[in-house]
Amino acid sequence: MNKNLLYRSIPKVDVLLEDSAIQELTGRYGKETVMESVHIETDRLRAYIAKSENEEEARKEISLLVSRVEKTVTDMHTPNMRMVVNGTGTILHTNLGRAPISEEHMKKVISLVSGYSNLEYNLDAGKRGERYSHFEKLLCRLTGAEAAMAVNNNASSVLLILSSLAKGGEVIVSRGELIEIGGKFRIPDVMEQSGASLVEVGTTNKTHYDDYEDAVTEETKALLKVHTSNYRIVGFTDSVGIDELIPLAREKDIPVIEDLGSGVLIDLAKYGLAHEPTVQESIAKGADVVCFSGDKLLGGPQAGIIIGKKKYIDKMKKNQLTRALRIDKFTAATLELVLQEYLSEEKAVQNIPVLRMLSESQESVAGRAHRLCGILKERKLPVKTEVKPCESQIGGGSLPLERIPSTAVTIRPEEISVNELEERMRRLPVPIIPRTVNDEILLDMRTVSEQEINVIAGQLAVSGILVK
């Protein structure tokens, strides 16, 4: 095997650049990217030849050089973030982007952000305005609060609230509410960053009114309630509600802050789910400041929404942290559109994907399952498919004990293993993310839309991923 001859067989760069396929790439992506890809692939080819002991295979690799350059250039210009089909049945799947935004809302957002907008411009006054103004009155109308704003997520909300209202002082929290959210972010750590000192009261499972009362000192700046939306303590438990703390807070002239975590604006019990405290209930009970996520049960973009008494919200708006934590124009536009849907609960349930999935009947979900299963059987693919009952979960740290009856299409491949199929599904042009249960692929149709049925069936039939 003459490796020197093989090295000389590699086309020179100037020759490659004359190739019609490479010239087409240059016209589409520019010479700089194409040149970089050519160098990457020729270096890779030389390294391959250096290690190869098979001349035939080495010559085959040389013949594939142009196609390898094409793939490298294309990969450089292909976004790494892609749309996926969520077949897991987890509605608020943190790894898959949590709450999906409706196409109708996104079309309106595109029209708003593709040009200039009045993001921070008051059209009536003809001068600088606030980016919160687009949805502040709407939030107040929906919740009964005096004022509102938003930052980039709910952890930011807690940080900003405590920094604005309790920096240098103490904040009293029940031990049973010292939660940890995703990525090991913990309430005590967020509080430390804010400059406030944590005062723990009660025990993990029981906290009483006297615990709060005894802990109040001249250094106390706030009472903090944290809704345990991502876990439940059951059994021998006791806690103190917002309404019980209000008299103590008023007597000591300190605010009561409630971190609701997920936060919801409608009573989910109407749709067969466990009752989750609504934002309106917290305000009605007397909470001075309430914060919650925009991209969980609200069904909107990632945001930390803060509502409450105007004097406290005004303090936060003036805090220097606010600029670092502020939302962008995409979030502001999307949040306003989603909140507008809540002016009619019926419209909200219809038009906000998260609420639609939460409230959809099992019969409706089963209909999609039977349609997908029927298409797969019609195409005579090398798989066994069935329609089976299953359970969906809400996810995103919301209603952790709640399960929703659902229906799935199960796929058991005949020529490859289930693990191999699951991996191949993740590598499709539109990746399909399933669950694997009892040695079969399970697609929970609660999180699969009608439009995605043909996407799934088409990819499984055309891509050849079901055969060895």
Side-chain angles (χ1 to χ4, degrees):
M1 178 176 174
N2 189 335
K3 291 193 176 185
N4 287 330
L5 183 60
L6 288 173
Y7 287 133
R8 290 197 295 271
S9 298
I10 299 174
K12 295 184 182 300
V13 172
D14 56 346
V15 173
L16 278 171
L17 293 177
E18 293 297 320
D19 185 280
S20 59
I22 299 297
Q23 287 185 336
E24 183 181 342
L25 288 173
T26 302
R28 191 184 313 163
Y29 300 115
K31 187 174 181 179
E32 186 176 335
T33 303
V34 173
M35 284 289 291
E36 182 182 354
S37 300
V38 166
H39 287 302
I40 288 172
E41 289 305 325
T42 52
D43 288 347
R44 187 176 294 159
L45 184 54
R46 290 188 184 93
Y48 179 87
I49 292 171
K51 293 180 181 179
S52 176
E53 297 298 332
N54 186 314
E55 184 174 345
E56 184 178 345
E57 289 296 324
R59 290 192 178 279
K60 182 179 178 181
E61 286 298 315
I62 294 172
S63 71
L64 293 173
L65 178 58
V66 170
S67 62
R68 300 268 198 248
V69 171
E70 287 182 288
K71 184 178 185 307
T72 300
V73 173
T74 303
D75 286 349
M76 282 183 180
H77 290 84
T78 301
N80 193 47
M81 185 180 291
R82 288 182 281 164
M83 184 191 88
V84 304
V85 175
N86 177 11
T88 67
T90 300
I91 295 170
L92 294 170
H93 199 304
T94 299
N95 297 341
L96 303 183
R98 284 191 184 155
I101 307 298
S102 74
E103 286 188 23
E104 188 62 31
H105 289 154
M106 288 315 302
K107 286 176 184 176
K108 292 179 180 178
V109 170
I110 289 170
S111 69
L112 287 169
V113 302
S114 57
Y116 296 106
S117 68
N118 61 326
L119 176 65
E120 286 190 353
Y121 186 74
N122 187 320
L123 293 171
D124 293 329
K127 61 182 182 180
R128 184 185 179 95
E130 284 189 342
R131 60 184 63 200
Y132 315 116
S133 65
H134 305 292
F135 51 80
E136 183 171 14
K137 288 182 180 178
L138 191 53
L139 271 169
C140 293
R141 177 176 175 178
L142 292 170
T143 65
E146 293 178 6
M149 63 182 297
V151 287
N152 56 26
N153 60 28
N154 198 44
S156 297
S157 296
V158 177
L159 179 65
L160 180 61
I161 293 167
L162 295 177
S163 172
S164 303
L165 306 185
K167 188 173 184 178
E170 297 176 348
V171 177
I172 301 173
V173 191
S174 167
R175 282 191 176 89
E177 297 173 6
L178 295 176
I179 66 168
E180 176 181 306
I181 58 177
K184 296 185 179 178
F185 290 95
R186 299 172 175 174
I187 286 291
D189 298 333
V190 174
M191 189 174 293
E192 182 180 351
Q193 288 294 319
S194 75
S197 300
L198 169 67
V199 176
E200 301 177 33
V201 297
T203 63
T204 302
N205 61 318
K206 284 207 169 197
T207 302
H208 305 284
Y209 175 84
D210 292 347
D211 295 320
Y212 288 95
E213 187 176 39
D214 294 342
V216 175
T217 69
E218 290 183 356
E219 300 302 316
T220 304
K221 298 291 186 181
L223 305 179
L224 174 63
K225 286 286 295 176
V226 183
H227 177 51
T228 56
S229 59
N230 61 354
Y231 75 99
R232 290 287 183 270
I233 299 176
V234 297
F236 191 57
T237 65
D238 199 6
S239 62
V240 183
I242 288 284
D243 48 349
E244 298 174 81
L245 289 177
I246 293 302
L248 175 62
R250 298 295 177 264
E251 179 189 340
K252 303 297 183 181
D253 193 27
I254 53 177
V256 175
I257 302 162
E258 183 163 32
D259 172 10
L260 279 177
S262 288
V264 64
L265 293 177
I266 63 174
D267 184 3
L268 296 178
K270 296 178 184 178
Y271 305 97
L273 300 169
H275 175 73
E276 181 78 352
T278 66
V279 177
Q280 298 94 315
E281 288 171 355
S282 293
I283 293 296
K285 288 177 180 177
D288 296 292
V289 177
V290 178
C291 63
F292 53 99
S293 293
D295 61 340
K296 293 185 180 180
L297 291 175
L298 186 75
Q302 177 181 299
I305 300 171
I306 309 171
I307 62 172
K309 298 278 174 44
K310 187 177 186 302
K311 65 178 181 179
Y312 297 126
I313 301 297
D314 285 347
K315 273 189 175 183
M316 294 173 220
K317 288 179 179 178
K318 294 173 183 175
N319 191 316
Q320 291 299 310
L321 269 177
T322 298
R323 186 170 181 85
L325 304 175
R326 70 181 182 177
I327 57 174
D328 66 1
K329 60 184 177 181
F330 297 92
T331 303
T334 310
L335 189 56
E336 181 184 15
L337 292 170
V338 171
L339 288 170
Q340 283 177 337
E341 299 289 357
Y342 281 96
L343 294 171
S344 163
E345 184 175 316
E346 181 183 357
K347 291 294 184 184
V349 172
Q350 289 175 1
N351 298 334
I352 298 175
V354 165
L355 298 184
R356 189 168 61 241
M357 285 185 273
L358 285 173
S359 61
E360 186 178 15
S361 69
Q362 188 176 6
E363 291 74 23
S364 176
V365 176
R368 287 199 300 280
H370 283 289
R371 284 192 286 281
L372 175 58
C373 191
I375 293 172
L376 294 177
K377 286 182 176 179
E378 283 176 7
R379 299 192 178 186
K380 300 189 183 330
L381 302 173
V383 293
K384 292 180 180 177
T385 58
E386 290 184 69
V387 173
K388 293 183 179 180
C390 67
E391 290 185 328
S392 304
Q393 62 180 1
I394 296 172
S398 306
L399 296 170
L401 303 180
E402 198 75 12
R403 294 294 180 270
I404 307 173
S406 188
T407 306
V409 174
T410 62
I411 302 173
R412 192 184 295 269
E414 296 176 350
E415 297 187 16
I416 60 174
S417 70
V418 167
N419 288 339
E420 177 68 20
L421 176 57
E422 188 269 339
E423 182 178 344
R424 292 183 182 185
M425 289 171 77
R426 283 189 280 110
R427 298 179 186 279
L428 287 167
V430 180
I432 302 170
I433 314 298
R435 293 196 334 238
T436 303
V437 181
N438 297 327
D439 200 32
E440 59 188 6
I441 294 291
L442 183 148
L443 294 172
D444 186 331
M445 299 302 289
R446 184 169 292 279
T447 50
V448 176
S449 69
E450 188 69 37
Q451 294 85 346
E452 289 171 331
I453 290 176
N454 288 329
V455 174
I456 294 171
Q459 289 192 124
L460 292 180
V462 174
S463 60
I465 68 169
L466 297 169
V467 296
K468 289 183 178 178

